[in-house]
Amino acid sequence: RQPLSPCAAGERLCSTEEATAGSGTYTRHGFIFSSLAGCLDRKSEDNELPVVSVVRDSESQLLPNVGAVVTCKVCSINSRFAKVHILYVGSTPLKSTFRGTIRRQDIRATEKDKVEVYKSFRPSDIVLAKVISLGDAQSNYLLSTAENELGVVVARSEAGVQMVPISWCEMQCPRTHTKEFRKVARVQPQFLQT
């Protein structure tokens, strides 16, 4: 039995001639893929093809800690802050969602007094943010998007189409060409979710 090695969701593990698909995997076009992020487990029975499965390791219940970059989804906004659900810490999906808050003063590094929440985020936007404090009794994490790399990475327009960033503060709908204000992230390649 081989030691467990980490694998990402959607990763191609091996061909169906080399092994049988077990739990946490799926087959497509003659290959076995991981259906979740976890550890690869390969069990061999006598003379039969080994069974490849992916198990979520027990340590994968990460907690967002201060300084961690998290991927979150905006739930609601008001004039003072955006409420979000934290979905990933780094590239690891969380088993349970954590609530976070991005306060108006933590959206941008400059001209903090001129920032308007509704010109930075909209509900259902996917945002990269950094944890700046572990929050209070409501277990809300305080998040910041003040760095260039942080901010909105995925946003849908009124027409329901994924928008394209055209500047650090605007995104445009490729179908209607309508522009909307956002605090746009300059995404670093290592943070891109597949």
Side-chain angles (χ1 to χ4, degrees), residues 82-123:
K83 291 266 185 217
V84 300
H85 281 152
I86 300 171
L87 309 173
Y88 285 81
V89 174
S91 58
T92 309
L94 294 170
K95 288 179 183 165
S96 50
T97 41
F98 292 94
R99 289 196 304 261
T101 302
I102 304 171
R103 298 175 304 185
R104 198 180 84 162
Q105 65 265 36
D106 298 324
I107 291 173
R108 260 206 195 98
T110 56
E111 299 186 321
K112 293 180 182 191
D113 51 334
K114 294 183 183 164
V115 171
E116 293 182 67
V117 177
Y118 76 94
K119 285 188 174 180
S120 304
F121 310 114
R122 297 279 169 87

Side-chain angles (χ1 to χ4, degrees), residues 3-194:
L4 300 180
S5 58
C7 62
E11 190 175 318
R12 192 167 90 180
L13 305 173
C14 61
S15 88
T16 49
E17 290 160 23
E18 298 169 54
T20 310
S23 64
T25 67
Y26 62 95
T27 56
R28 184 179 291 158
H29 307 307
F31 290 96
I32 300 173
F33 292 84
S34 169
S35 62
L36 48 94
C39 289
L40 178 62
D41 189 12
R42 189 184 281 254
K43 290 193 182 103
S44 305
E45 300 295 325
D46 323 309
N47 302 342
E48 290 185 83
L49 281 176
V51 176
V52 173
S53 52
V54 176
V55 290
R56 280 219 162 121
D57 49 44
S58 53
E59 304 87 73
S60 79
Q61 185 42 21
L62 278 171
L63 293 173
N65 53 359
V66 173
V69 172
V70 296
T71 306
C72 44
K73 184 174 185 173
V74 178
C75 306
S76 63
I77 57 172
N78 66 26
S79 60
R80 291 173 304 134
F81 53 77
K83 291 266 185 217
V84 300
H85 281 152
I86 300 171
L87 309 173
Y88 285 81
V89 174
S91 58
T92 309
L94 294 170
K95 288 179 183 165
S96 50
T97 41
F98 292 94
R99 289 196 304 261
T101 302
I102 304 171
R103 298 175 304 185
R104 198 180 84 162
Q105 65 265 36
D106 298 324
I107 291 173
R108 260 206 195 98
T110 56
E111 299 186 321
K112 293 180 182 191
D113 51 334
K114 294 183 183 164
V115 171
E116 293 182 67
V117 177
Y118 76 94
K119 285 188 174 180
S120 304
F121 310 114
R122 297 279 169 87
S124 83
D125 284 357
I126 302 296
V127 174
L128 275 180
K130 188 173 267 184
V131 179
I132 52 173
S133 99
L134 301 185
D136 49 22
Q138 287 96 40
S139 73
N140 263 5
Y141 286 87
L142 285 180
L143 308 176
S144 164
T145 56
E147 293 168 39
N148 290 341
E149 289 72 38
L150 306 175
V152 177
V153 283
V154 179
R156 297 205 174 277
S157 65
E158 302 280 328
V161 182
Q162 188 167 323
M163 294 197 292
V164 181
I166 52 171
S167 76
W168 59 274
C169 64
E170 282 186 308
M171 288 181 139
Q172 185 172 29
C173 173
R175 186 184 296 162
T176 63
H177 303 294
T178 310
K179 293 176 185 174
E180 292 184 22
F181 287 108
R182 290 293 195 283
K183 192 312 185 174
V184 180
R186 188 177 71 211
V187 181
Q188 301 291 295
Q190 71 263 30
F191 294 132
L192 281 171
Q193 298 291 336
T194 45

